[in-house]
Amino acid sequence: RDEMINQVEQNPNITVYTNATCTGWFAENYLTVMCENKMLKIRAKHVIAATGILEQPIIFRNNDLPGVMLCSAIQRLINLYGVSPGSKVLIATTSSDGYATALDLIEAGIEITAIIDYRKKQDESDFCSEINKSNITVYQNHYIEEIVSGNGTNYISSVKIKSFDKHDKTTDTIKVNCDFVGMSGGYSPAGQLICHSGGTLKYDKQLETFKVDINQANEDSSIAGSLNNYSKLEEVVSDGKYVANRCMSKIGINVETVNASSMPVNSTSKLSNFAPPIVTSGKGKDFIDFDEDLQVKDIIDAIKDGYDDLELVKRYSTVVMGPSQGKHSALNNARLVYDTKGQSIDGVSITTQRPPYHPEYIQHLAGKSYQPVKQTAIHYRHEQLNAKFFSAGSWLRPSYYSTQSSSTKCIEEEYLGIRNNVGLIDVSTLGKIEVFGKDAAEFLERIYTSTYKKQRIGRSKYVLMTDKTGSIIDDGVACRLSEHLYYVTTTSSGADNVYRIMTLWNSQWNLDVSITNLTSAYAAINLVGPKSRLVLQKVVDDIDLSTDAFEYMDVRSGHIQNIPARLVRVGFVGELGYEIHVPYTFGESLWDILMFAGKSFNIKAAGVEAQRLLRLEKGHIIVGQDTDGLTNPYDISMDWAISKSKPFFNGQRAIEVIKSKGIKKSLMGFKIEPSSKMPEECNLIISNHNIVGRITSVAYSPILKSTIGLALLSTSDIKIGDMISIKLSNGDYVNALVCSIPFYDSDNKRQQL
């Protein structure tokens, strides 16, 4: 078999999809195939179904207890996964396949307590012969009456069996001890896909199972192997070759001459079943449909109430309507219905089969999942500087620029360049949304936690967004460019979500505002460091950059060497700095201009890692890193961003309730001696053997000469000045001192130069 598979996979004209399931077969040979995380749509000239057969369960009392399993499942556990199903196994079977399972168990060193063969006599298979040579007890013409659990548990302790020779109450019950039961109640063809395309599954009394009938199916389709009722592997393979050659010849592919005599029609081992009588005593639970929790009595009750057709029984009881769509219940259900009615089952068709053959994930039906990768306008300049990129939402951003032997040295060099001189950070990925209209200020007051009606034109203001539960969603700044125009920035990963929330709420509030997402329309560069004003003065003529004329949080519009620009004086990294926003097409030119102007000041490009270290020293949060889906403004000491005067903002009521109940956690800083091991983000904080928090941000500070970090800590257990214990990823512990934030420049003098 492996040799055949290798030959197929090496054929350049054949594509093999493994771990794939065909779930639907529609008109004109249109098939849907679920393969890993995608759905394949295939249109075929001819389809060969070689889907095999499905082993069927046996009905007896307590057949749903843990430890009852199909024989084929036992063989998978043993041969594929090396897992023992139990220590003492009893096999119940209606064919020689139960004997084959017993041989596998014996080879695995597992004890077989008995084999219950429902047939009057064994067949002449090698499996039966091998078992007869062993000391295993075989109960021929016997059936399982009941499985017994022990000592009030659901675990199997023994099985009660009886003989078919007598059906009166005097029949002796034999008790066999075991802890596991394997059952093999025959087979039913996996022909549901053929039914999708117009074929049927009809009961064949000679085979005692359903038989695939493709007379009504698409002419451009065939069945092969076990679907043609062959049981031996060599015959299944032979039939597959015959059908494949015949079909390829039919569609015009040159193959070897099809020899009709090669078809194994005269096989003596045609697949056949023994239909085990359904013997029930009315006591206990004997399940016929494990999906729907239906017992034998439920089906009989449906028939007594007049719902005596298979389709009516199905709708009355929901039998075969579960996730498996009757794969393991349709055969026994049909036998029970017609046995109860006292009618012949020969020629009866299975109830309607509909796609999907196997449960599908909604994500498959939604189509292929694309994760777009966006590049900023300055991307190629980053590549020229040997940037190491990472994904921030859908954007590629420089993590650091590789100029040293290690990433740590590169990040430290960029960090010191900004602290001591001047640096450039590409912040084009920030969300940029224009809110315009006479109700723009009112709209922002409802969306964000602070007030904006009295905000002066030419000023920017911090914005914090919460949801209806009071949890933080996003932050940024709102720049008032005119009385009715605000330019709002968001986090890099939150732009689309914020825009969606804004448009959703305004569709309900119906305020006089227009909302435009300009994220991809503008490039933005953060020019930052104590010498940033000196660099900017060399390239700006129409904006007064003096401290009095351009204060911290001011916004100005002007030109940088004829490039129209918006300048916002903000200090996310705690240094004198300017966010410069220009139309996207000018992004690269702006970068070149600033790099050239800053050459005499030893200007450096800085990546996100240096930016994060700088902001950590200032104690500035990153939404989504220092917060999670449950973090409210009081948790991170941002109650200063919440208006106490305005009547409403989204999440206001929830925040008031949270405050009234008391703050249970708080974002605090900590310091660790440089000689200690550095923890990682999300490492747990332990106090008195209890988890009292987790790390949200951590890094080594070159200026402070120690490891610093932020942690969400329980306010009832921890306070400033306490020593805490941090559990590292490897299980070790390090001690840290809880301290206030910011760690550096607590007077904010550096960003207000």
Side-chain angles (χ1 to χ4, degrees):
R1 182 182 295 182
D2 292 339
E3 183 180 348
M4 284 179 15
I5 293 174
N6 289 333
Q7 290 177 0
V8 170
E9 290 178 338
Q10 292 171 9
N11 190 311
N13 297 318
I14 299 176
T15 301
V16 178
Y17 292 102
T18 57
N19 195 26
T21 304
C22 180
T23 58
W25 186 350
F26 303 96
E28 299 179 358
N29 281 347
Y30 174 72
L31 302 102
T32 55
V33 177
M34 302 304 157
C35 182
E36 297 178 347
N37 293 322
K38 58 186 176 183
M39 180 174 72
L40 304 176
K41 302 175 183 178
I42 300 173
R43 183 82 68 177
K45 288 184 178 180
H46 198 103
V47 177
I48 301 173
T51 49
I53 50 180
L54 299 169
E55 192 172 32
Q56 300 297 299
I58 300 175
I59 300 172
F60 43 79
R61 198 185 312 163
N62 294 331
N63 60 346
D64 69 323
L65 286 181
V68 180
M69 186 178 289
L70 291 173
C71 283
S72 54
I74 292 175
Q75 289 177 309
R76 266 198 299 277
L77 283 176
I78 294 173
N79 298 320
L80 292 183
Y81 303 108
V83 174
S84 171
S87 58
K88 294 182 178 181
V89 181
L90 179 141
I91 300 293
T93 185
T94 63
S95 69
S96 62
D97 287 344
Y99 292 80
T101 303
L103 291 172
D104 282 348
L105 288 165
I106 293 170
E107 186 176 351
I110 300 169
E111 180 183 349
I112 309 295
T113 59
I115 294 177
I116 314 303
D117 194 333
Y118 279 59
R119 302 171 298 176
K120 288 187 177 181
K121 63 178 182 178
Q122 298 176 355
D123 55 39
E124 297 179 356
S125 69
D126 294 337
F127 302 135
C128 294
S129 299
E130 285 296 319
I131 290 295
N132 291 335
K133 296 176 184 178
S134 68
N135 295 323
I136 295 174
T137 303
V138 177
Y139 291 95
Q140 205 72 43
N141 197 29
H142 279 65
Y143 65 94
I144 293 180
E145 179 189 40
E146 178 184 8
I147 293 182
V148 181
S149 57
N151 300 324
T153 69
N154 286 328
Y155 297 107
I156 298 171
S157 63
S158 62
V159 173
K160 293 180 180 179
I161 64 173
K162 283 188 175 183
S163 170
F164 279 122
D165 291 336
K166 298 179 181 179
H167 294 292
D168 55 49
K169 294 183 180 180
T170 62
T171 303
D172 293 333
T173 298
I174 303 171
K175 186 177 181 181
V176 181
N177 293 326
C178 64
D179 63 6
F180 208 89
V181 174
M183 57 181 174
S184 179
Y187 297 91
S188 179
Q192 287 78 6
L193 285 171
I194 290 91
C195 294
H196 295 176
S197 64
T200 57
L201 286 172
K202 291 184 178 180
Y203 199 91
D204 187 309
K205 189 61 180 176
Q206 183 178 357
L207 298 175
E208 289 291 6
T209 188
F210 292 114
K211 183 178 181 180
V212 179
D213 184 355
I214 62 171
N215 291 335
Q216 302 176 27
N218 185 348
E219 292 182 358
D220 295 324
S221 62
S222 304
I223 60 175
S226 297
L227 289 186
N228 274 328
N229 303 111
Y230 294 107
S231 61
K232 288 187 176 181
L233 178 60
E234 59 270 18
E235 293 169 352
V236 169
V237 172
S238 177
D239 185 53
K241 288 182 178 180
Y242 172 81
V243 172
N245 288 339
R246 185 188 64 195
C247 296
M248 286 191 291
S249 296
K250 186 176 181 180
I251 63 175
I253 299 176
N254 294 325
V255 293
E256 59 189 70
T257 303
V258 180
N259 185 355
S261 63
S262 64
M263 185 176 180
V265 292
N266 297 319
S267 171
T268 58
S269 62
K270 276 278 194 173
L271 184 69
S272 63
N273 283 323
F274 171 79
I278 299 174
V279 182
T280 60
S281 63
K283 300 176 183 178
K285 295 183 178 180
D286 39 23
F287 287 92
I288 194 167
D289 191 323
F290 298 99
D291 288 347
E292 298 293 292
D293 281 350
L294 292 171
Q295 302 174 50
V296 170
K297 66 179 182 180
D298 298 316
I299 307 303
I300 295 175
D301 287 345
I303 296 169
K304 288 180 179 178
D305 287 348
Y307 297 86
D308 56 357
D309 181 81
L310 277 182
E311 290 287 354
L312 296 178
V313 170
K314 172 182 176 180
R315 282 156 179 77
Y316 183 90
S317 66
T318 70
V319 68
V320 310
M321 292 175 67
S324 71
Q325 296 194 59
K327 294 182 183 73
H328 299 104
S329 58
L331 182 60
N332 282 326
N333 178 63
R335 288 172 177 165
L336 177 60
V337 168
Y338 280 86
D339 183 59
T340 303
K341 291 165 57 176
Q343 297 178 3
S344 172
I345 192 176
D346 197 31
V348 171
S349 297
I350 196 172
T351 55
T352 305
Q353 300 290 299
R354 297 182 178 90
Y357 168 71
H358 192 73
E360 299 170 335
Y361 291 108
I362 292 178
Q363 68 191 48
H364 288 155
L365 303 180
K368 187 174 181 180
S369 177
Y370 292 94
Q371 180 60 46
V373 177
K374 299 179 182 177
Q375 299 175 350
T376 71
I378 313 163
H379 180 81
Y380 296 108
R381 289 294 183 263
H382 302 320
E383 286 188 339
Q384 291 169 1
L385 293 172
N386 200 23
K388 302 301 179 184
F389 293 96
F390 78 105
S391 296
S394 57
W395 293 92
L396 282 181
R397 297 193 68 184
S399 178
Y400 63 92
Y401 299 88
S402 183
T403 58
Q404 299 285 338
S405 58
S406 71
S407 60
T408 302
K409 289 182 179 180
C410 295
I411 295 167
E412 184 173 332
E413 184 182 72
E414 295 168 16
Y415 160 87
L416 292 174
I418 290 176
R419 279 281 185 247
N420 298 327
N421 295 300
V422 62
L424 283 183
I425 304 173
D426 182 2
V427 293
S428 302
T429 59
L430 292 174
K432 311 168 194 75
I433 299 173
E434 252 186 18
V435 180
F436 174 74
K438 67 182 184 66
D439 292 331
E442 172 66 22
F443 177 75
L444 291 184
E445 294 223 343
R446 297 187 187 187
I447 285 288
Y448 293 107
T449 60
S450 191
T451 56
Y452 303 94
K453 289 181 179 179
K454 296 182 179 181
Q455 181 178 339
R456 289 186 285 115
I457 296 172
R459 289 286 291 173
S460 63
K461 191 170 184 179
Y462 181 76
V463 293
L464 184 68
M465 180 181 286
T466 58
D467 62 16
K468 60 183 179 181
T469 69
S471 297
I472 295 171
I473 297 176
D474 200 81
D475 71 345
V477 295
C479 308
R480 194 166 195 175
L481 304 181
S482 66
E483 183 179 0
H484 301 311
L485 175 62
Y486 288 81
Y487 181 70
V488 184
T489 65
T490 75
T491 60
S492 296
S493 58
D496 291 339
N497 186 44
V498 171
Y499 176 69
R500 183 165 52 248
I501 290 171
M502 285 183 169
T503 54
L504 172 65
W505 279 112
N506 197 48
S507 67
Q508 300 180 44
W509 295 334
N510 199 27
L511 297 175
D512 184 4
V513 293
S514 61
I515 306 162
T516 308
N517 189 349
L518 300 176
T519 300
S520 297
Y522 279 87
I525 295 173
N526 193 6
L527 178 68
V528 61
K531 297 179 181 178
S532 57
R533 183 185 288 114
L534 298 176
V535 174
L536 207 53
Q537 285 174 339
K538 296 176 67 173
V539 294
V540 174
D541 297 324
D542 53 358
I543 300 176
D544 187 349
L545 298 175
S546 64
T547 304
D548 294 335
F550 198 166
E551 297 179 345
Y552 181 65
M553 297 299 285
D554 274 352
V555 181
R556 297 289 182 266
S557 295
H559 294 80
I560 296 179
Q561 292 189 2
N562 296 322
I563 299 175
R566 289 174 181 167
L567 278 67
V568 187
R569 189 177 163 189
V570 290
F572 181 60
V573 300
E575 294 286 347
L576 173 66
Y578 303 86
E579 244 179 49
I580 307 169
H581 295 244
V582 299
Y584 179 88
T585 52
F586 293 107
E588 197 172 87
S589 298
L590 176 64
W591 180 273
D592 293 341
I593 290 169
L594 294 174
M595 287 293 280
F596 183 79
K599 185 176 292 186
S600 59
F601 301 103
N602 198 24
I603 194 170
K604 287 188 177 297
V608 173
E609 290 301 323
Q611 180 191 42
R612 287 180 173 178
L613 172 56
L614 290 159
R615 68 90 199 176
L616 177 58
E617 291 179 342
K618 285 295 295 178
H620 291 161
I621 69 158
I622 296 177
V623 173
Q625 178 169 323
D626 299 304
T627 68
D628 56 31
L630 299 175
T631 307
N632 63 74
Y634 287 102
D635 290 338
I636 55 174
S637 302
M638 294 191 70
D639 48 306
W640 55 267
I642 303 173
S643 171
K644 311 298 190 296
S645 59
K646 64 180 181 179
F648 169 79
F649 65 84
N650 193 28
Q652 183 184 49
R653 177 58 184 154
I655 290 174
E656 290 173 352
V657 172
I658 290 169
K659 182 183 178 183
S660 67
K661 292 183 176 181
I663 309 306
K664 297 180 180 179
K665 56 185 176 180
S666 181
L667 191 69
M668 304 182 194
F670 64 86
K671 289 184 178 180
I672 302 175
E673 291 299 322
S675 58
S676 300
K677 293 181 180 179
M678 180 180 289
E680 296 179 292
E681 292 166 2
C682 288
N683 280 169
L684 299 178
I685 312 296
I686 308 297
S687 177
N688 295 325
H689 305 290
N690 294 319
I691 299 173
V692 295
R694 63 176 176 84
I695 294 175
T696 62
S697 298
V698 64
Y700 176 76
S701 170
I703 284 184
L704 301 175
K705 305 297 182 184
S706 66
T707 297
I708 60 173
L710 299 175
L712 273 172
L713 298 169
S714 169
T715 54
S716 61
D717 298 299
I718 305 297
K719 62 182 184 298
I720 303 298
D722 286 349
M723 292 296 297
I724 56 175
S725 183
I726 301 173
K727 186 176 182 180
L728 304 179
S729 300
N730 63 3
D732 293 339
Y733 289 84
V734 297
N735 294 322
L737 174 68
V738 179
C739 57
S740 59
I741 46 181
F743 301 96
Y744 180 71
D745 187 30
S746 58
D747 296 329
N748 297 325
K749 292 181 178 179
R750 296 183 66 85
Q751 63 190 25
Q752 296 179 358
L753 291 175

